[in-house]
Amino acid sequence: MIDLHCHLLPGIDDGPATMDKTVALAGRHVAAGVTCVAATPHVTWEIPTRASLVAAGVADVRARLAGEQIPLEVTTGGEVAMSCAADLSDDELSALKLGANPEGWLLLEAPLEVSAVGFERIVAHLQDRGHRILIAHPERSPTFHRSPDLLEQLISDGALTSITAAAFSGQFGAEVRQTALEFVERGLAHSVASDAHDAVRRPPGLLSHLEEAGLERFVEWWCVQVPSAILAGTALPPAPASFPPAPERPRRRRFHLR
């Protein structure tokens, strides 16, 4: 399985504080059946992570894991906050894409603030600049709790979603679990990731949470096929026959930042 959202790098954000803790987190990934992880530290004004720092951190982690003989592939990425995304250069955004693939996808954090507005404008602005958007944990965003139709429209306009696996087993509360299941029913879930931060408090895990929710039939698509296509920048594979199709809606007038 491939995990496209994990705070694996040591000493950068609220993930592991040390390389030893990164190694412990990597070991938990392997034990959970994950073979490839995208290191996606926060990119915010408060945590101004740059792509060069991510690349250097990934190189260090790869070397340490090789020395420890931990069979986990690690690639680059970043979880970019909407508050700073529009102000980053196109070169920086491309370097922060998952797998550092210029033709790939940028992981954009769904706003967790109750009062957040304008997310759709940021998405449209980034798309107009040529960036493809993967929305991180929309099921935990008050914006999409209030307006799931907005998420549906963003998907109609070309965005994809990454649902946190633990949301399906209720680890973020009943409302988040229900929202995640609703997104599945409406065909609005494209991939599942761990958003792991450490080996204990926010540990990795994909399959166990999906099995608990009775969704293991989608593991191959959510955790292997779609992530592979996202990293490669290729077309998404067909969804399983039992997966609800995303509703087709007419594209609306795009929002632009002024």
Side-chain angles (χ1 to χ4, degrees):
M1 292 180 289
I2 300 171
D3 189 342
L4 293 182
H5 185 181
C6 177
H7 298 262
L8 182 70
L9 301 184
I12 290 183
D13 58 359
D14 54 349
T18 67
M19 181 63 81
D20 286 344
K21 292 183 177 181
T22 287
V23 171
L25 175 54
R28 289 290 301 270
H29 271 296
V30 172
V34 173
T35 59
C36 177
V37 169
T40 54
H42 288 291
V43 180
T44 70
W45 290 123
E46 295 76 21
I47 309 173
T49 310
R50 292 297 175 258
S52 58
L53 180 62
V54 177
V58 167
D60 289 343
V61 169
R62 286 172 175 169
R64 177 65 182 271
L65 296 185
E68 299 277 351
Q69 297 186 331
I70 296 176
L72 182 68
E73 179 184 353
V74 180
T75 191
T76 57
E79 183 183 11
V80 184
M82 63 171 282
S83 60
C84 68
D87 294 316
L88 297 176
S89 70
D90 288 326
D91 287 344
E92 182 70 13
L93 290 171
S94 292
L96 286 168
K97 288 179 180 177
L98 296 166
N101 182 352
E103 303 301 319
W105 294 79
L106 184 70
L107 185 68
L108 186 67
E109 184 177 27
L112 298 178
E113 301 85 0
V114 174
S115 60
V117 295
F119 184 74
E120 67 274 17
R121 294 179 183 273
I122 297 295
V123 171
H125 175 69
L126 294 172
Q127 289 173 326
D128 287 343
R129 289 167 56 181
H131 303 292
R132 296 195 281 184
I133 303 302
L134 177 66
I135 302 172
H137 53 65
E139 77 287 348
R140 289 154 51 197
S141 173
T143 297
F144 299 121
H145 290 182
R146 294 192 303 267
S147 181
D149 288 348
L150 174 60
L151 183 64
E152 185 177 299
Q153 187 62 60
L154 291 172
I155 291 169
S156 177
D157 288 340
L160 299 179
T161 62
S162 173
I163 308 299
T164 308
F168 290 115
S169 59
Q171 293 193 12
F172 294 95
E175 182 181 17
V176 170
R177 179 179 182 275
Q178 185 56 44
T179 300
L181 293 172
E182 178 184 346
F183 288 169
V184 174
E185 292 172 0
R186 295 177 63 160
L188 305 180
H190 302 102
S191 63
V192 170
S194 72
D195 193 7
H197 283 63
D198 55 48
V200 179
R201 183 178 58 88
R202 290 277 296 277
L206 302 175
L207 179 60
S208 60
H209 297 293
L210 296 176
E211 286 180 334
E212 184 173 339
L215 297 170
E216 60 272 17
R217 63 193 181 281
F218 300 135
V219 169
E220 180 70 17
W221 194 63
W222 277 338
C223 304
V224 180
Q225 296 178 0
V226 171
S228 294
I230 286 173
L231 288 176
T234 57
L236 262 61
S242 59
F243 193 80
E248 294 188 7
R249 298 180 55 172
R251 290 180 179 269
R252 64 183 177 186
R253 180 175 60 84
R254 298 291 295 277
F255 290 104
H256 298 278
L257 295 182
R258 295 185 181 273

